[in-house]
Amino acid sequence: MILKLSCRNIFRQKKRTALTLITVIVAICFAVIGDGLNSGLKWQLKNVYIHTETSSLKIYRKDFKPKDEDINPLEHPFLNFDEIDKLVSSTAWIKASSARISFTGSAVSSGLELPCRFLGIDGERENAVFNRKNDLVSGQFLDPADSTSVVIGMELAALLSVKTGDFVTIIARTSLKAINAYDCRICGIIRTGNPMIDSSQIFLSRGFASDFVQSGPTEIAVLADTQDDFRLFPLTDKLNASFSSHDARADSWLVELADLFSLIRMREKIFAIIVGFILIMAAAGIANTMLMAMLERKREIGILMAGGMSRREILSLFLSEGTFIGLLGSLIGMCLGAAIVHYYQIHGIRVPADITKVGGDFPVRDMFYPYLNWSMALFYFLIGSGVAMLSSLYPAWRALQLDPVEAIKG
């Protein structure tokens, strides 16, 4: 009986109920779409950086802090590199590793000088970890016949107006604080989708880099046989335990990307606040709808109470009306938002070229793919339903305060 009365009362004022439903639908749909965008950004950030920059984990000298811009990596090369490299290579869960010499400097071409990052690498080992060959736009990934050849990012090449076969002058400070420069032939141009690489990275052979800056390897990029967080992090801890007698430290990809993930968490908090405001508006709309319905039905409520309907049943009547609006609006909003996110998860969102140029540290490329997290979609569905039920408490309380006789008199 209560459910029958609830359905009749809800659709008594169709326009008012429709407006309230639209508010709930928009709030939940917006929440699901926003979570899909944030989840897609996190997935893309992790995927791109693991496959282009951080790998599964990186190994540094213990006293080196990679996030401290005032610290020069060349001042912290491995003291016992051969022993560390042998230990890493013999670890069962490590598929591949690439020892690198990392340093900063600048590149000069046609009178234009731009700051850049250099990586001295072994081509085969680097490809085993990152598969750089698949990202080549032109040329080859280092020329074995020319130890001084370099590979540069596509955006950096565009800024310097150079192409494969051209020469670029690289300038850097050595480990002994001297300035060194060399004219290098560009043997390849690479595009990874990682703005840090495409706009500022230059790869050169490790042997040439060692002679150029007079330093040994400063880091080792490691590819593990798993990228699962729950497996990788304990393995990283075990590897650090094996470094107890060596001057080395392993940092997982999560440590490497901590700053970027903190920015995403801040975006999520800002988005949650926006969704909260929309839900408050939806709650106010539901409360207003229920309150107006109660005032219009005072006589009817008085008759029901006089006819023997208990106050508990009156409370259930109003709560069921509010809950029904919340459930219906949240269900439609969740399904609509999920359908939109699922569509673009498959087809992607094309990103204009102008936006990719200002992507900063975020891996913005031609296409962006959101990710549908069903657990969060269900969470927002429950939140919307719960808010609707709570917002109907005040109108229900007002109805309980009515005196049956006075209500019948109107």
Side-chain angles (χ1 to χ4, degrees):
M1 177 183 175
I2 291 177
L3 291 176
K4 185 177 180 180
L5 286 172
S6 298
C7 293
R8 189 189 69 180
N9 293 331
I10 288 171
F11 295 105
R12 182 178 295 181
Q13 294 290 340
K14 294 182 176 63
K15 291 183 179 180
R16 191 165 61 199
T17 301
L19 288 174
T20 306
L21 275 173
I22 289 173
T23 308
V24 179
I25 291 169
V26 169
I28 303 304
C29 181
F30 182 75
V32 173
I33 292 174
D35 180 75
L37 293 174
N38 281 326
S39 297
L41 181 59
K42 285 193 290 187
W43 177 86
Q44 190 164 334
L45 179 71
K46 173 185 174 181
N47 183 62
V48 169
Y49 273 83
I50 284 179
H51 289 92
T52 64
E53 174 70 17
T54 65
S55 61
S56 304
L57 55 96
K58 277 187 180 179
I59 301 172
Y60 304 100
R61 210 169 88 174
K62 279 184 179 178
D63 58 354
F64 176 61
K65 298 178 181 179
K67 295 179 183 179
D68 191 338
E69 296 181 356
D70 295 329
I71 297 180
N72 185 357
L74 297 179
E75 297 176 359
H76 301 269
F78 292 110
L79 299 177
N80 49 351
F81 168 72
D82 291 335
E83 296 178 14
I84 296 171
D85 193 41
K86 184 177 179 180
L87 188 153
V88 170
S89 300
S90 62
T91 303
W93 54 271
I94 293 179
K95 294 175 63 177
S97 63
S98 176
R100 294 123 68 98
I101 302 174
S102 175
F103 58 99
T104 59
S106 59
V108 181
S109 178
S110 303
L112 180 63
E113 182 174 354
L114 294 176
C116 57
R117 302 188 309 155
F118 295 93
L119 273 183
I121 58 171
D122 178 281
E124 291 186 4
R125 293 183 63 174
E126 184 77 4
N127 274 306
V129 175
F130 295 105
N131 203 7
R132 303 286 190 194
K133 292 180 180 179
N134 284 351
D135 296 323
L136 279 171
V137 176
S138 63
Q140 60 186 118
F141 192 71
L142 296 182
D143 185 355
D146 184 0
S147 62
T148 63
S149 62
V150 297
V151 175
I152 71 173
M154 188 178 74
E155 291 180 22
L156 179 60
L159 291 171
L160 292 172
S161 300
V162 294
K163 60 184 182 300
T164 304
D166 291 345
F167 282 82
V168 63
T169 302
I170 62 172
I171 304 172
R173 189 180 295 273
T174 70
S175 61
L176 301 178
K177 306 298 178 66
I179 301 295
N180 202 357
Y182 200 91
D183 291 334
C184 299
R185 181 178 62 86
I186 300 172
C187 66
I189 295 176
I190 196 169
R191 186 192 186 200
T192 64
N194 183 338
M196 295 295 290
I197 294 178
D198 296 341
S199 63
S200 63
Q201 191 79 67
I202 293 182
F203 298 91
L204 56 161
S205 69
R206 200 174 84 197
F208 171 57
S210 180
D211 294 336
F212 185 72
V213 293
Q214 300 176 320
S215 173
T218 59
E219 64 181 51
I220 301 175
V222 174
L223 175 65
D225 61 4
T226 179
Q227 304 302 334
D228 182 73
D229 305 355
F230 296 102
R231 283 195 59 204
L232 181 61
F233 299 155
L235 292 174
T236 304
D237 292 337
K238 289 182 179 179
L239 183 61
N240 277 319
S242 67
F243 287 151
S244 58
S245 59
H246 299 83
D247 189 21
R249 179 192 79 253
D251 289 342
S252 69
W253 62 264
L254 186 60
V255 175
E256 294 282 321
L257 300 179
D259 292 341
L260 292 178
F261 272 97
S262 65
L263 289 176
I264 293 179
R265 284 193 292 269
M266 184 172 66
R267 285 163 53 94
E268 289 176 339
K269 290 178 182 178
I270 294 173
F271 176 78
I273 292 172
I274 296 173
V275 172
F277 277 118
I278 297 177
L279 284 174
I280 290 173
M281 293 172 60
I286 293 172
N288 181 65
T289 298
M290 300 297 298
L291 188 59
M292 292 183 68
M294 185 275 295
L295 294 175
E296 293 171 354
R297 292 154 45 201
K298 286 176 64 176
R299 184 181 180 85
E300 179 182 328
I301 294 170
I303 293 173
L304 290 174
M305 295 174 73
M309 180 174 282
S310 66
R311 293 183 180 272
R312 183 174 181 178
E313 290 174 321
I314 296 293
L315 177 65
S316 300
L317 176 64
F318 277 85
L319 289 180
S320 62
E321 291 177 17
T323 302
F324 181 81
I325 293 175
L327 285 171
L328 182 60
S330 297
L331 180 62
I332 295 174
M334 182 188 72
C335 293
L336 180 61
I340 293 172
V341 174
H342 180 69
Y343 175 83
Y344 286 108
Q345 181 176 326
I346 296 174
H347 300 282
I349 301 172
R350 185 164 295 281
V351 181
D354 292 341
I355 295 179
T356 63
K357 294 177 182 178
V358 295
D361 291 342
F362 288 95
V364 180
R365 204 171 180 177
D366 297 0
M367 301 293 291
F368 173 75
Y369 295 88
Y371 174 75
L372 178 57
N373 187 339
W374 275 110
S375 60
M376 288 303 299
L378 291 173
F379 171 76
Y380 286 122
F381 167 76
L382 295 175
I383 287 291
S385 303
V387 167
M389 185 183 69
L390 293 175
S391 62
S392 62
L393 285 175
Y394 176 69
W397 177 79
R398 286 289 301 272
L400 294 179
Q401 305 307 308
L402 293 176
D403 180 82
V405 177
E406 295 297 329
I408 292 173
K409 290 180 179 180

